[in-house]
Amino acid sequence: MASHWEEFYSTNPQPVNFENNCTLLKNFCESHKKNNQRIVLVTSGGTTVPLEHNTVRFVDNFSGGLRGAASAEYFLDQGYSVIFLHRFNSIIPFTRHFNHLKMLDMLVLQKNEKNVSISIKPDSVDMLAPILVKYQRAQEDNKMLYINFTTLSDYFWLLRACCEYLKDIGANALLYLAAAVSDFFVPSSQMATHKLPSDGVPEIHLQLVPKLLVPIVSLWVPHAFVVSFKLETDESVLISKATGAIKKYKHKLVIGNMLHTRRTRVVFVTEGSNYEIKLTEEQISNGVEIENIIVKNVVSVHTKFIEGTF
Amino acid sequence: MASHWEEFYSTNPQPVNFENNCTLLKNFCESHKKNNQRIVLVTSGGTTVPLEHNTVRFVDNFSGGLRGAASAEYFLDQGYSVIFLHRFNSIIPFTRHFNHLKMLDMLVLQKNEKNVSISIKPDSVDMLAPILVKYQRAQEDNKMLYINFTTLSDYFWLLRACCEYLKDIGANALLYLAAAVSDFFVPSSQMATHKLPSDGVPEIHLQLVPKLLVPIVSLWVPHAFVVSFKLETDESVLISKATGAIKKYKHKLVIGNMLHTRRTRVVFVTEGSNYEIKLTEEQISNGVEIENIIVKNVVSVHTKFIEGTF
């Protein structure tokens, strides 16, 4: 049985640095509220579920975080301010376009008698310059706030804190819940203190994770536009599960996707209707990212929602 | 019961790109063998254990990969050629010194009428230049080979391939097994095909992972110097477990460490003796990394081993 969400908070302590993150969230939301600015909360990457108090082993959810990171950039393009609540060390906006070693390979060292300088090789400038311009503009305008989590418990605490400060934003707030959240966890009371011995097979007692969509929609941000994601590997259950989620949680939109086609196809499921977004061969060969199309569609329904016509 | 290692290979298929990695390993080992060069295999980061064939969920081992990445750099400093067998997206040598966003923050864009250029801000050049020089030298001299894994099965296949090509290097080969390898896995035959349903609590049937140190030491690289790591959270079992491993697997050295003090203290355990390496307060405040000291000590015993005095 799922534990109740209130019980989860009462038995799992706040993450380190929580107060500091709350201050950042508060300041970010307040400064954008003044300008009647839309704010999107993008959650991204997987949560971990520790199996031991002194954590050596944990259950993780597959998610590199590409969908969230790409979407965050496209929301910026659409004029949104973005809270990017992401798994520590997952893919992040802007830097997702080049990996670490590629970055070093782009650098060239110049030495003269007086001076050492380092610059980007001319043939990489064309790729890097537009990304850098967007990154620097977002930094200067304070349009993107980066907050990270690792465990399921971190995520729970930080997501609730985001909602607390987004509540005042009303319908201008959009929740875009793309993180891959664990469905199961090991309750603190049943967790081994030390590393599980490696010479015997451990018993792992899993419990269902409470669904935060319940308090999010009904209590925490009742006026916000809430979008959740559903990842499946079995096509035959995708639409029915997404429709079931809409009915159960009463939020506005579920974006369904299949593990192996998620980069080229998603299904938008709302109460009473669903439609597919699929990249064409031409779009794929032109390097169009599906997140660009997803975000444009989400923004369009969010606008209708704000205008009261959704 | 642990499955036998031969059974593991016969029931878990080769990773994608395996042949290509074998060619890289073969060429790397052959080119350094000509120069009678010492080669270290550094394994780094955690392996994952998928819970489903279409993997959404997996069990992971805590390891950022800092120890492996730092050690790889220090082995280069000591003149070794390095095979860096690491978890995909874990910490890697050189780039470990700055994270992604810090990298973007270091960049400055210059525009004039004709030209756009990007350079590193002068105040970051002092930090970056020595790292870049070492990275570029290693690239030019072909001293570091990067190979990555994700799952336990990838790791098994790639580690055996490394041994196959290191066998010819004889005593000049050093295996520095710092990766955090799963102790348990879900056998392919007992794995669910699709994502485990999220409305019921799954039963996870774990099996013990065969210990590869057995074939490594006795069959695959019998003349190499093999170092393994042991991470514990319970101090009282550290030395006895490390000593037990030496007796059982008959390799040369176990480096023991505790989860919460691993950045400042390790224990070197050999057959019949053990000694501690601990950073002094002065070393810590000067930013000395323990991997620098560990690697110097390992190189010193490796030299004795080659000379036949270990």
Side-chain angles (χ1 to χ4, degrees):
Chain A
M1 222 198 79
S3 74
H4 195 271
W5 58 269
E6 283 175 315
E7 188 195 330
F8 189 97
Y9 287 100
S10 67
T11 52
N12 288 277
Q14 285 180 6
V16 287
N17 219 17
F18 182 69
E19 297 300 335
N20 186 31
N21 280 323
C22 286
T23 307
L24 292 172
L25 284 165
K26 184 170 182 283
N27 294 342
F28 189 82
C29 290
E30 282 178 359
S31 77
H32 292 294
K33 193 193 167 192
K34 276 184 215 152
N35 308 318
N36 198 30
Q37 170 73 38
R38 292 189 195 177
I39 304 182
V40 61
L41 167 67
V42 175
T43 69
S44 184
T47 61
T48 68
V49 170
L51 301 179
E52 301 140 329
H53 280 291
N54 288 293
T55 303
V56 175
R57 304 197 187 86
F58 52 89
V59 178
D60 204 341
N61 263 49
F62 163 83
S63 169
L66 180 54
R67 173 143 293 158
S71 298
E73 285 182 29
Y74 292 117
F75 276 116
L76 273 186
D77 288 346
Q78 297 286 328
Y80 282 62
S81 296
V82 181
I83 299 169
F84 187 64
L85 178 61
H86 64 287
R87 164 71 174 274
F88 179 70
N89 259 347
S90 65
I91 297 171
I92 51 176
F94 306 112
T95 65
R96 71 184 178 98
H97 300 280
F98 39 87
N99 72 22
H100 256 133
L101 283 184
K102 271 194 201 142
M103 190 79 213
L104 282 184
D105 287 330
M106 281 188 235
L107 298 175
V108 59
L109 195 80
Q110 288 114 347
K111 275 187 192 173
N112 61 32
E113 278 156 33
K114 285 184 185 167
N115 231 323
V116 178
S117 67
I118 303 173
S119 59
I120 300 287
K121 289 178 187 166
D123 58 0
S124 296
V125 168
D126 286 352
M127 183 279 279
L128 191 56
I131 298 164
L132 187 59
V133 167
K134 283 192 181 184
Y135 171 74
Q136 291 179 337
R137 196 181 301 145
Q139 291 295 101
E140 282 158 20
D141 299 347
N142 184 32
K143 294 277 275 185
M144 174 102 74
L145 178 64
Y146 301 84
I147 305 269
N148 69 64
F149 61 83
T150 298
T151 66
L152 176 72
S153 173
D154 298 346
Y155 175 80
F156 262 53
W157 278 95
L158 291 165
L159 180 57
R160 188 168 71 170
C162 289
C163 289
E164 191 181 330
Y165 300 109
L166 284 171
K167 191 172 190 174
D168 283 348
I169 308 297
N172 274 338
L174 169 60
L175 273 67
Y176 185 87
L177 306 173
V181 182
S182 313
D183 294 305
F184 319 107
F185 75 113
V186 181
S188 193
S189 60
Q190 290 184 38
M191 218 184 272
T193 301
H194 288 296
K195 188 181 167 192
L196 298 165
S198 53
D199 49 0
V201 174
E203 294 250 334
I204 299 175
H205 301 280
L206 296 173
Q207 191 167 330
L208 279 174
V209 169
K211 297 292 183 190
L212 282 195
L213 274 173
V214 176
I216 287 173
V217 175
S218 62
L219 284 178
W220 296 345
V221 282
H223 303 295
F225 190 76
V226 178
V227 183
S228 69
F229 282 79
K230 198 140 200 75
L231 177 72
E232 292 295 338
T233 65
D234 182 358
E235 176 79 45
S236 68
V237 301
L238 181 64
I239 301 286
S240 64
K241 287 209 164 184
T243 308
I246 288 277
K247 285 197 178 128
K248 189 168 174 187
Y249 304 116
K250 305 194 190 313
H251 59 310
K252 301 304 169 195
L253 173 63
V254 174
I255 301 179
N257 51 159
M258 299 292 302
L259 183 62
H260 296 296
T261 58
R262 69 195 189 284
R263 308 243 45 86
T264 55
R265 177 179 167 263
V266 298
V267 191
F268 273 49
V269 179
T270 59
E271 202 190 348
S273 80
N274 66 71
Y275 60 100
E276 187 183 80
I277 292 176
K278 196 176 171 180
L279 291 185
T280 62
E281 289 299 324
E282 198 188 340
Q283 287 174 318
I284 294 170
S285 61
N286 288 337
V288 173
E289 292 184 305
I290 195 163
E291 287 77 14
N292 193 348
I293 323 278
I294 294 173
V295 167
K296 280 183 182 153
N297 276 269
V298 169
V299 169
S300 155
V301 286
H302 186 210
T303 300
K304 286 184 191 160
F305 175 79
I306 293 170
E307 294 166 348
T309 61
F310 178 80
Chain B
M1 223 200 79
S3 75
H4 196 269
W5 57 270
E6 283 175 317
E7 188 195 330
F8 189 97
Y9 287 100
S10 66
T11 52
N12 288 277
Q14 284 181 6
V16 287
N17 219 17
F18 182 68
E19 297 299 336
N20 186 32
N21 279 323
C22 286
T23 306
L24 292 172
L25 284 166
K26 184 170 183 282
N27 294 341
F28 188 82
C29 290
E30 282 179 358
S31 77
H32 292 295
K33 193 193 168 192
K34 277 184 214 152
N35 308 317
N36 199 28
Q37 170 74 37
R38 292 188 194 177
I39 305 181
V40 61
L41 167 68
V42 175
T43 69
S44 185
T47 61
T48 69
V49 170
L51 300 179
E52 302 141 328
H53 281 291
N54 287 294
T55 304
V56 175
R57 303 196 188 87
F58 52 89
V59 178
D60 204 342
N61 262 48
F62 163 82
S63 168
L66 180 54
R67 172 142 295 158
S71 299
E73 285 182 30
Y74 292 117
F75 276 115
L76 273 186
D77 288 346
Q78 297 286 329
Y80 282 62
S81 297
V82 181
I83 300 168
F84 187 63
L85 179 61
H86 63 289
R87 164 72 173 274
F88 179 71
N89 260 348
S90 65
I91 298 171
I92 50 176
F94 306 113
T95 65
R96 71 185 179 99
H97 300 280
F98 41 88
N99 73 22
H100 257 132
L101 284 184
K102 271 196 201 141
M103 190 80 213
L104 283 184
D105 287 330
M106 282 188 233
L107 297 177
V108 60
L109 194 79
Q110 289 114 346
K111 275 186 192 173
N112 61 32
E113 279 157 32
K114 286 185 184 165
N115 231 324
V116 177
S117 67
I118 303 173
S119 60
I120 300 287
K121 290 178 187 167
D123 59 0
S124 297
V125 169
D126 285 352
M127 182 280 280
L128 191 56
I131 297 166
L132 187 59
V133 166
K134 282 191 183 185
Y135 171 72
Q136 291 179 337
R137 195 180 303 145
Q139 291 294 101
E140 282 158 21
D141 299 347
N142 184 34
K143 294 277 274 185
M144 175 102 72
L145 178 64
Y146 301 84
I147 306 271
N148 69 64
F149 61 84
T150 299
T151 66
L152 176 73
S153 174
D154 298 347
Y155 176 79
F156 263 53
W157 278 95
L158 291 166
L159 180 57
R160 188 169 70 171
C162 289
C163 289
E164 191 182 331
Y165 300 109
L166 284 170
K167 191 173 190 174
D168 284 348
I169 308 297
N172 274 337
L174 170 59
L175 273 66
Y176 185 87
L177 306 172
V181 181
S182 313
D183 293 306
F184 318 108
F185 74 114
V186 181
S188 193
S189 60
Q190 290 183 40
M191 219 184 270
T193 301
H194 288 296
K195 189 182 168 193
L196 298 165
S198 52
D199 49 1
V201 174
E203 294 249 334
I204 300 175
H205 301 280
L206 296 173
Q207 191 167 331
L208 279 174
V209 170
K211 297 291 184 191
L212 282 195
L213 273 173
V214 176
I216 287 173
V217 175
S218 62
L219 284 178
W220 297 345
V221 282
H223 303 294
F225 190 76
V226 178
V227 183
S228 70
F229 283 78
K230 198 141 201 75
L231 177 73
E232 292 294 338
T233 65
D234 181 358
E235 176 79 45
S236 68
V237 301
L238 182 63
I239 301 287
S240 64
K241 286 209 166 183
T243 308
I246 288 277
K247 284 196 179 130
K248 188 168 173 188
Y249 304 116
K250 306 193 190 313
H251 59 309
K252 302 303 169 195
L253 172 64
V254 174
I255 301 179
N257 52 160
M258 299 294 301
L259 183 61
H260 296 297
T261 58
R262 68 193 188 286
R263 307 242 47 84
T264 55
R265 175 178 169 263
V266 300
V267 191
F268 273 48
V269 179
T270 59
E271 201 190 349
S273 80
N274 66 71
Y275 61 100
E276 187 182 80
I277 291 176
K278 197 175 172 180
L279 292 184
T280 62
E281 289 300 324
E282 197 190 339
Q283 287 174 319
I284 292 170
S285 62
N286 289 336
V288 173
E289 291 184 304
I290 194 164
E291 288 76 13
N292 192 348
I293 323 279
I294 294 174
V295 167
K296 280 182 182 154
N297 276 269
V298 169
V299 169
S300 153
V301 285
H302 187 210
T303 301
K304 285 184 193 161
F305 174 78
I306 293 170
E307 293 166 349
T309 61
F310 179 79

